[in-house]
C-alpha cells in the first residue's frame, strides 16, 4: 500500500509543470524603471474604462427614473375618480311670450350682423383709384 502511495505521489509530482516565469519588461541600464509610454497608455485606458462605467451607470439611473415616473403617473391616473357622465337635462319650458321675445331678439341680432357684414363687404368691393 505504501508503494502504491509513493508511486501516485511520484506520478503527480512529475506531472506538475515547473514554475513558469512571466516575461516582463526589463529596463536598460541607466534607463528609467518605468516605461513612460506604457504607463501613459495604461492611465488613459483606465480613465476611459472609468468614464465608460460612469456613463453606463448614468444611463441605468435615467432608465430607472423613467420607469418610476411612468409607474407613478399610472398610479395617480388609476387613483383618480372617473368623471361622472352628466346627462343632458330637459329643455327649459318657456311661455309663448318668452319664446316670441327670444325669436325676435335672435332675428334682430342676425339682421345687425348681416348689416355690419354688408358694410364691410361694400367697403371691400369699393372702386379703387
Amino acid at each position: 500500500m505504501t508503494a502504491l502511495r509513493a508511486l501516485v505521489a511520484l506520478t503527480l509530482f512529475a506531472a506538475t509543470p515547473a514554475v513558469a516565469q512571466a516575461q516582463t519588461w526589463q529596463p536598460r541600464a541607466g534607463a528609467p524603471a518605468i516605461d513612460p509610454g506604457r504607463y501613459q497608455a495604461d492611465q488613459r485606458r483606465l480613465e476611459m474604462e472609468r468614464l465608460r462605467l460612469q456613463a453606463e451607470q448614468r444611463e441605468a439611473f435615467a432608465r430607472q427614473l423613467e420607469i418610476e415616473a411612468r409607474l407613478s403617473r399610472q398610479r395617480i391616473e388609476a387613483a383618480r375618480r372617473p368623471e361622472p357622465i352628466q346627462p343632458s337635462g330637459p329643455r327649459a319650458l318657456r311661455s309663448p311670450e318668452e319664446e316670441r321675445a327670444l325669436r325676435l331678439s335672435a332675428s334682430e341680432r342676425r339682421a345687425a350682423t348681416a348689416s355690419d357684414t354688408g358694410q364691410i363687404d361694400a367697403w371691400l368691393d369699393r372702386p379703387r383709384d
Side-chain angles (χ1 to χ4, degrees):
M1 194 71 159
T2 33
L4 183 60
R5 284 186 188 169
L7 182 63
V8 169
L10 185 61
T11 307
L12 287 176
F13 181 72
T16 57
V19 176
Q21 284 187 328
Q23 292 183 351
T24 58
W25 177 76
Q26 297 294 326
R28 296 184 315 261
I34 60 168
D35 181 13
R38 180 177 288 176
Y39 177 77
Q40 189 178 25
D42 286 343
Q43 290 298 316
R44 288 182 178 166
R45 182 182 50 80
L46 290 173
E47 181 66 13
M48 291 299 292
E49 183 70 18
R50 185 187 69 79
L51 291 173
R52 185 185 60 77
L53 289 173
Q54 189 179 36
E56 288 177 357
Q57 288 174 346
R58 287 180 180 162
E59 288 176 10
F61 185 63
R63 282 192 302 270
Q64 178 184 359
L65 289 179
E66 183 181 336
I67 291 170
E68 288 176 4
R70 194 177 310 133
L71 289 174
S72 295
R73 183 176 178 182
Q74 288 175 352
R75 252 186 260 117
I76 290 170
E77 289 176 355
R80 186 182 302 162
R81 289 184 180 178
E83 294 182 20
I85 299 173
Q86 298 290 334
S88 60
R91 187 173 171 200
L93 298 176
R94 297 185 181 96
S95 66
E97 292 82 20
E98 289 175 332
E99 289 287 333
R100 186 169 48 291
L102 288 174
R103 281 194 306 272
L104 286 174
S105 66
S107 62
E108 288 172 2
R109 282 193 306 272
R110 280 193 298 274
T113 303
S115 169
D116 294 341
T117 306
Q119 290 175 2
I120 293 171
D121 289 340
W123 184 81
L124 289 174
D125 293 338
R126 75 185 185 282
R128 298 200 178 149
D129 297 335

